[in-house]
Amino acid sequence: MRCPSFLDALDARRIVGHHLLLTQDAGRAHWRALPECPYGTPMSDLLPLTMAERLIRQAMTPFPVEAVPLEAAYGRVLRQAVHAERALPPYDRVILDGIAVAWRDGQTGWVLSGTQAAGHPPLTLDPGHEAALAVMTGSVLPRGADTVIPREDYRREGDTLILQKGVSPKRGQHIHPMGADCAAGAALLESGLILSPPEMAVLAANGISQPLVSAIPSIAVISTGDELVAPDAPVAPWQIRRSNDYAIAASLARRGLTRQTLLTLPDDLAILTLKLDEALDTHDAVVLSGGVSMGDFDFVPKVLAALGVQRILHKVAQRPGKPFWFGIGKSGQPVFALPGNPVSALACCSRHVVPALLHAQGVTLPPCHVMLAAPLTPIATMTRFVPVRLGHDDQGRTLAYPCPMTTSGDFNRLGATDGLVTLPPGDTPLSAGTGLVFHAW
Ligand code: AMP
Ligand code: MG
């Protein structure tokens, strides 16, 4: 008997092509209420990629916010808006070393009466036009002054300063007026940014010493399979060195998701049940690889179901990575179960796991578009992921050079690639120059 279609279970009015249109009140609870397949077998329909992405996003609970010392905030996801603490610059700022004067057209000499250093309250220029105060880059403009003359534009004779020949200062020059950069309260940073060097400077300059950022989730990265051995263990001819967990861990770490526990489990129902239960209890997210296909020892979906992980989807119309499984644990943790084949596992990680975890951290990144450097043929019924190496053409545009793998187990040549491009399902070959969305590994 055929398992009822996943799509049949939904209100048809919410389905347009391969997309789900969510009604106003359709939230996470709605998705969770979808009927489980009553026959206990995975749903046979392959979910279109766009729908899978939407279901995952809908099911993810945002990770909490925490305040961290500014020194520890680099690379974290900002979860607050930042406004200018005060007008910037906060005073009329001298922008180079020289003298400050009250400018009068035609004047060529001044008498030095003191020094205005950076970080000191403003001095007052003697009245009239004869006096000058030495000023330093970053100091306040002394009261009564309106013009700064750079050091190289005058010479000193005793206490007298004489303008060099050919120099003609303009009133107001070399002063960065108060508020020229922004007014007090101006919006400077938005929530959802990944903090990079310039944003660190903005936080510091505006007195944010404990920025609010997304908490880094603790993630269990679990390999499953009786054939797997560690990189440093003896390997029998019938065994495989495990590599997925290292690739997945690296893919997460480069996005700042560094709180990881790596674990390898055998294809044993009892051990899987015990250890996955522990992992679910102690982690905010779980990323598995292997054991989600149709083999006799592919126990992962069954064990997750027994542990109360609500299946959101299983099997996506994508190649590689068709057996991908995703669900939500009892306390809301996302559980990603990736196929074991290394290319599939890494493709699912960068195409599903990373975007979902970034989304739950509140990250708002625009899609990265690249141009195909060589033709590629899509798959009529499925989304195709193709590993690519990035380069640039002579106009500086980013090109994606396809490096298709012969099989999803053929991962040794992935080393020359930067990520993958997504080819939507279709019949028409894509020519060089086609724009596609790129996801880094
Ligand atoms: P599975 O999805 O468990 O059927 O595994 C598919 C293929 O991926 C098999 O050839 C496995 O040996 C291989 N595989 C599974 N897990 C890993 C891993 N952690 N590292 C490398 N290869 C793996
Ligand atoms: Mg396996």
Side-chain angles (χ1 to χ4, degrees):
M1 193 183 303
R2 182 177 168 271
C3 178
S5 160
F6 182 47
L7 300 185
D8 294 343
L10 291 170
D11 182 338
R13 282 169 304 178
R14 298 201 185 106
I15 302 168
V16 175
H18 285 166
H19 297 265
L20 279 186
L21 289 185
L22 299 175
T23 52
Q24 284 283 320
D25 58 346
R28 210 170 127 199
H30 170 77
W31 297 119
R32 294 232 175 139
L34 282 174
E36 281 291 302
C37 172
Y39 304 101
T41 54
M43 294 174 214
S44 59
D45 301 271
L46 291 183
L47 208 56
L49 175 78
T50 47
M51 193 183 291
E53 289 176 314
R54 192 169 292 229
L55 287 172
I56 295 169
R57 275 178 175 243
Q58 286 290 321
M60 296 290 293
T61 306
F63 292 125
V65 168
E66 64 184 8
V68 293
L70 185 54
E71 301 71 38
Y74 169 65
R76 303 288 295 269
V77 181
L78 183 68
R79 289 284 287 276
Q80 65 173 96
V82 174
H83 295 94
E85 180 188 28
R86 51 193 183 144
L88 293 174
Y91 49 85
D92 291 337
R93 187 175 64 203
V94 171
I95 65 173
L96 43 71
D97 301 318
I99 51 169
V101 300
W103 179 251
R104 182 172 53 185
D105 284 340
Q107 186 168 350
T108 56
W110 298 267
V111 176
L112 190 62
S113 64
T115 299
Q116 176 74 66
H120 291 260
L123 301 174
T124 300
L125 199 61
D126 293 341
H129 295 277
E130 305 314 317
L133 282 165
V135 286
M136 309 297 141
T137 305
S139 71
V140 297
L141 184 69
R143 293 194 195 98
D146 60 10
T147 300
V148 170
I149 300 171
R151 219 166 242 195
E152 53 274 27
D153 286 357
Y154 60 85
R155 66 178 189 279
R156 188 164 174 175
E157 289 177 8
D159 275 349
T160 307
L161 308 167
I162 300 163
L163 204 60
Q164 302 283 29
K165 283 213 166 52
V167 173
S168 43
K170 299 206 168 33
R171 186 193 305 282
Q173 70 178 18
H174 305 310
I175 296 161
H176 197 173
M178 176 176 170
D181 292 347
C182 65
L188 298 180
L189 300 178
E190 285 178 10
S191 179
L193 288 169
I194 297 174
L195 293 170
S196 66
E199 283 101 30
M200 294 295 291
V202 173
L203 291 174
N206 288 279
I208 314 267
S209 62
Q210 298 274 329
L212 295 178
V213 297
S214 274
I216 299 177
S218 68
I219 305 175
V221 179
I222 304 175
S223 281
T224 70
D226 281 352
E227 73 278 33
L228 303 179
V229 298
D232 59 354
V235 61
W238 50 88
Q239 291 179 317
I240 296 290
R241 290 202 189 281
R242 61 187 167 85
S243 59
N244 286 348
D245 39 346
Y246 292 95
I248 292 166
S251 179
L252 300 175
R254 75 190 306 193
R255 276 81 182 193
L257 298 163
T258 47
R259 290 182 61 206
Q260 306 171 356
T261 313
L262 268 54
L263 191 64
T264 306
L265 299 176
D267 293 318
D268 178 297
L269 208 50
I271 298 176
L272 276 173
T273 307
L274 184 75
K275 294 294 180 183
L276 289 186
D277 196 22
E278 272 175 31
L280 285 163
D281 272 352
T282 48
H283 292 84
D284 304 315
V286 176
V287 184
L288 288 136
S289 70
V292 285
S293 301
M294 306 296 281
D296 291 351
F297 305 103
D298 287 338
F299 297 134
V300 166
K302 196 169 164 180
V303 170
L304 291 173
L307 294 173
V309 180
Q310 168 84 43
R311 180 183 63 204
I312 303 294
L313 58 89
H314 188 192
K315 296 186 181 170
V316 177
Q318 59 187 15
R319 187 183 298 155
K322 188 177 82 169
F324 174 60
W325 189 105
F326 171 73
I328 295 290
K330 279 190 281 194
S331 44
Q333 328 88 313
V335 179
F336 304 89
L338 319 182
N341 267 312
V343 181
S344 311
L346 200 50
C348 287
C349 183
S350 73
R351 207 53 190 70
H352 294 294
V353 180
V354 165
L357 294 177
L358 290 181
H359 173 72
Q361 286 200 300
V363 177
T364 49
L365 286 179
C368 174
H369 292 280
V370 295
M371 252 172 54
L372 263 186
L376 275 178
T377 308
I379 304 170
T381 54
M382 290 192 182
T383 299
R384 183 179 176 200
F385 301 139
V386 179
V388 294
R389 182 171 52 79
L390 296 184
H392 292 96
D393 66 9
D394 51 12
Q395 289 164 55
R397 289 177 298 205
T398 307
L399 294 182
Y401 295 88
C403 311
M405 302 292 134
T406 47
T407 71
S408 49
D410 168 25
F411 64 100
N412 288 295
R413 285 181 306 130
L414 281 185
T417 64
D418 297 296
L420 52 78
V421 287
T422 298
L423 281 62
D427 299 320
T428 319
L430 305 179
S431 54
T434 304
L436 290 176
V437 175
F438 168 80
H439 284 77
W441 293 129

